[in-house]
Amino acid sequence: MIPTLPWRARNRLAETILQSLHDAEARHGLERLARGGAAESDWLGPDERGQARLLRLRAQRASEAVRALPLGPAGSRLDDALAAAATLFDAGLGFEVHELLEPHWTRATGDDREALQGLIQIAVGYQHLANGNASGARALLAEGGARLEGRRLGGLQLASFARAVRESIEGLPTLDPAAIPRFPRGRGRAR
């Protein structure tokens, strides 16, 4: 995972990344930002200028990740959102996974709601770790992993992901990024 930016830039970048899943102009804007072709002063306040490198890095990771995805409709179906979440998660963009899945979580009920909450908690847990909050990461990863145990969501088997998340907790607080498990994928959705 990549550390997040100060809240204003974090939220704006997340919105741009999510728009780039279905909007070609947002995707081009993200590419410009990743190349350094967008004015960073438009994104960062005067006291945040030291975050320019992190802004470009998050934009680069996002741009590379979404480039391989076809533009989809806004307000995508759950299966499409899960496929996009897998791409963003594996690119180190846990906050954006949270933002992408949250609308589906608010509408879901029962086991689907629990599974979505678990996936969101895991994404945010690894994001906390990247931001230097190991205790918050540990709590969210443990709770999120427990929520996924024995569940399915949109055709995804979640038990092996939950197990891998629990195993990764043992490596905290200095978890090797390679030990972060890949987000679960449906059949035929390899990256």
Side-chain angles (χ1 to χ4, degrees), residues 27-63:
R27 196 170 280 193
H28 292 304
L30 187 59
E31 289 171 5
R32 281 191 304 277
L33 184 60
R35 289 191 314 263
E40 291 160 358
S41 61
D42 291 343
W43 286 82
L44 300 169
D47 58 333
E48 300 169 337
R49 297 287 191 253
Q51 302 292 319
R53 190 172 136 264
L54 181 56
L55 174 66
R56 279 192 310 277
L57 176 61
R58 286 188 75 84
Q60 286 167 355
R61 286 280 189 93
S63 182

Side-chain angles (χ1 to χ4, degrees), residues 30-174:
L30 187 59
E31 289 171 5
R32 281 191 304 277
L33 184 60
R35 289 191 314 263
E40 291 160 358
S41 61
D42 291 343
W43 286 82
L44 300 169
D47 58 333
E48 300 169 337
R49 297 287 191 253
Q51 302 292 319
R53 190 172 136 264
L54 181 56
L55 174 66
R56 279 192 310 277
L57 176 61
R58 286 188 75 84
Q60 286 167 355
R61 286 280 189 93
S63 182
E64 291 166 5
V66 302
R67 186 178 302 136
L69 297 175
L71 289 172
S76 64
R77 300 171 328 152
L78 178 58
D79 286 346
D80 296 332
L82 290 169
T87 299
L88 295 174
F89 182 91
D90 291 346
L93 302 167
F95 178 75
E96 289 75 3
V97 171
H98 166 270
E99 295 294 293
L100 175 64
L101 294 181
E102 188 172 42
H104 294 277
W105 172 78
T106 60
R107 294 188 301 269
T109 59
D111 284 345
D112 285 357
R113 185 175 175 87
E114 284 292 307
L116 282 163
Q117 185 169 352
L119 291 172
I120 290 168
Q121 286 176 309
I122 289 167
V124 174
Y126 286 121
Q127 189 65 71
H128 275 300
L129 183 62
N131 291 344
N133 179 0
S135 62
R138 180 175 277 108
L140 285 169
L141 293 172
E143 189 173 333
R147 285 185 191 280
L148 297 186
E149 198 55 50
R151 296 195 194 279
R152 295 176 54 94
L153 178 66
L156 300 179
Q157 295 281 350
L158 301 174
S160 62
F161 182 61
R163 195 169 29 261
V165 168
R166 279 195 313 276
E167 290 169 5
S168 78
I169 294 171
E170 296 171 16
L172 298 180
T174 58

